[in-house]
Amino acid sequence: MAMSTETKMQSFKMSESGRIELVEEPRPKPAVGQVLMRVKASSFNARDLFMLDGRYPVPVGRVPLSDGAGIIEEVGLGVTRFKIGDRVINSFQPTWFGGQQREPGLLYHTHLDGWLREYAVIDQQGLVMMPEHLEFTEAATLPCAAVTAWSAVAGIGAGDTVLIQGTGGVSIFALQFARALGARVIATTSKDAKVEQLIQLGASDVINYATTPDWGAQVRQLTNGRGADLIVEVGGAGTIAQSIKAVAYRGVISLVGHIAHTTVGMNLLDFTSSGATLRTVGGGSRSDFENMNRVIEAHQLRPVIDRIFPFNDALAAISYMGQGNYFGKVVMSH
Ligand SMILES: NC(=O)c1ccc[n+]([C@@H]2O[C@H](COP(=O)([O-])OP(=O)(O)OC[C@H]3O[C@@H](n4cnc5c(N)ncnc54)[C@H](OP(=O)(O)O)[C@@H]3O)[C@@H](O)[C@H]2O)c1
């Protein structure tokens, strides 16, 4: 028997060919403790691109994207955190609620179906409320990149200098949070066309890392020889040697990612001499997310969106991401 239109939904899923395909399927019903969320927007992160272009294989049938925002349309029995009509966002790591994480948790797109779909049934514990002033397209940028940036800048304050690398999602959120917390921000980018936007967002100085490969020395010059108190390290092996040159004595390098595809790595003797702490950052808990949202509301921060694609244009969005010329976030409007 044919299903009525109301009970169907569309999702993008990984196909056997390694590409995504649009699939029509029944709309799920929430069970005890679950809600039915109408997904209004989702967003891309570097990790999604790695999975979508085959660098990290994911199971056939998996719905991609780790970040989504939407509105609650149904609640199951026993739901207390939310009601119908609430505007919500998923927690990036839905099984990490707070405190120190003792083991890696489940992740969307890899272990769990992600957010490139029209509806999702999800446990109420895996969601947080949207900051009130944000649109769905803005809120959908927060779970991975913003929470990671929030964790990466933890501990900095007024008078500190933070260095961000490049103009991707994590780095631009780190710039916004560092400025909101009163720190000075020095930014790097490979494209002169992006300098003005970085300055508009509050960077005091911008260094082109493509034309100034020894940018660590320039960070020292810009800080009267002291260096940056905290570095949000998204480049990894390809940038860490310069970060060690750029970091202040006893400063912190928050190791977030490995977007610079080289294997230069670091000299351990240089690192020890820097006196710096290297701390790895792996997203953040639901409690971190809620704390971050309070700061976003208090400072009326708005995520920086490069481009919004309509739901049906997911392939065009992936191809646009692949060109690597965005500033901030690429978003899907459902
Ligand atoms: N640990 C975690 O929890 C976590 C969470 C989120 C992301 N990550 C990782 O963090 C990294 C960034 O993620 P994202 O989603 O923010 O990426 P993204 O939005 O895709 O960032 C792309 C930008 O990175 C910049 N970039 C590339 N190579 C660079 C280099 N050698 N030096 C400085 N900047 C460079 C470029 O900026 P310009 O065009 O301005 O040069 C590019 O536009 C990725 O490796 C990702 O896997 C980790």
Side-chain angles (χ1 to χ4, degrees):
M1 195 175 78
M3 282 183 289
S4 75
T5 327
E6 294 82 61
T7 59
K8 287 184 187 170
M9 59 175 264
Q10 291 192 317
S11 305
F12 279 96
K13 296 193 167 192
M14 301 299 296
S15 72
E16 302 259 354
S17 69
R19 286 164 64 86
I20 54 166
E21 62 184 14
L22 197 54
V23 173
E24 195 162 72
E25 57 189 341
R27 191 183 305 170
K29 297 290 288 177
V32 175
Q34 293 180 329
V35 299
L36 175 70
M37 180 173 154
R38 175 165 191 166
V39 187
K40 302 284 283 180
S42 54
S43 82
F44 284 90
N45 293 285
R47 72 186 284 275
D48 299 308
L49 202 60
F50 301 157
M51 291 184 251
L52 288 164
D53 72 11
R55 272 178 276 175
Y56 296 164
V58 289
V60 172
R62 181 69 76 235
V63 179
L65 303 195
S66 61
D67 299 4
I71 192 157
I72 290 183
E73 287 203 351
E74 278 180 57
V75 295
L77 270 178
V79 169
T80 51
R81 277 173 63 80
F82 303 103
K83 59 183 187 317
I84 290 170
D86 280 348
R87 299 159 79 236
V88 293
I89 335 170
N90 70 284
S91 187
F92 178 62
Q93 298 190 54
T95 52
W96 182 17
F97 302 111
Q100 201 171 350
Q101 198 180 24
R102 295 286 172 195
E103 55 189 30
L106 300 176
L107 296 175
Y108 293 104
H109 197 156
T110 37
H111 315 107
L112 305 166
D113 279 339
W115 297 94
L116 198 52
R117 50 182 159 159
E118 291 181 313
Y119 282 88
V121 153
I122 175 166
D123 193 292
Q124 61 170 337
Q125 302 297 344
L127 298 171
V128 303
M129 282 290 213
M130 273 173 54
E132 273 190 19
H133 66 291
L134 296 189
E135 307 283 342
F136 289 112
T137 44
E138 295 172 316
T141 65
L142 300 178
C144 177
V147 177
T148 300
W150 178 247
S151 302
V153 301
I156 59 119
D160 289 332
T161 298
V162 173
L163 177 94
I164 62 150
Q165 300 174 341
T167 53
V170 172
S171 301
I172 296 302
F173 278 118
L175 190 170
Q176 291 178 292
F177 294 141
R179 293 296 295 138
L181 295 168
R184 172 188 178 188
V185 175
I186 300 175
T188 67
T189 178
S190 58
K191 297 167 187 86
D192 287 339
K194 293 180 170 181
V195 171
E196 188 48 38
Q197 208 172 347
L198 286 162
I199 300 281
Q200 289 295 326
L201 285 166
S204 65
D205 307 271
V206 181
I207 305 169
N208 185 322
Y209 65 83
T211 53
T212 310
D214 192 25
W215 50 263
Q218 193 155 344
V219 173
R220 281 207 173 269
Q221 266 180 20
L222 288 168
T223 51
N224 294 325
R226 177 172 159 71
D229 299 285
L230 186 139
I231 295 179
V232 181
E233 177 64 57
V234 297
T239 47
I240 190 79
Q242 286 300 315
S243 292
I244 290 168
K245 283 193 180 179
V247 71
Y249 188 66
R250 299 286 183 215
V252 173
I253 301 174
S254 289
L255 179 57
V256 168
H258 305 274
I259 203 137
H261 306 292
T262 68
T263 50
V264 174
M266 67 174 170
N267 178 319
L268 266 182
L269 189 58
D270 289 346
F271 177 60
T272 314
S273 308
S274 78
T277 298
L278 181 65
R279 72 174 182 213
T280 56
V281 173
S285 68
R286 188 182 76 189
S287 164
D288 295 326
F289 197 170
E290 288 170 333
N291 290 338
M292 178 193 82
N293 285 346
R294 278 193 278 279
V295 173
I296 287 177
E297 278 186 344
H299 290 267
Q300 293 287 292
L301 295 180
R302 303 205 89 105
V304 177
I305 294 177
D306 178 279
R307 194 156 159 190
I308 301 174
F309 285 84
F311 182 70
N312 284 322
D313 283 353
L315 285 172
I318 294 166
S319 151
Y320 180 70
M321 283 285 292
Q323 291 161 24
N325 198 26
Y326 43 90
F327 187 108
K329 299 296 293 180
V330 175
V331 175
M332 303 299 302
S333 178
H334 300 201

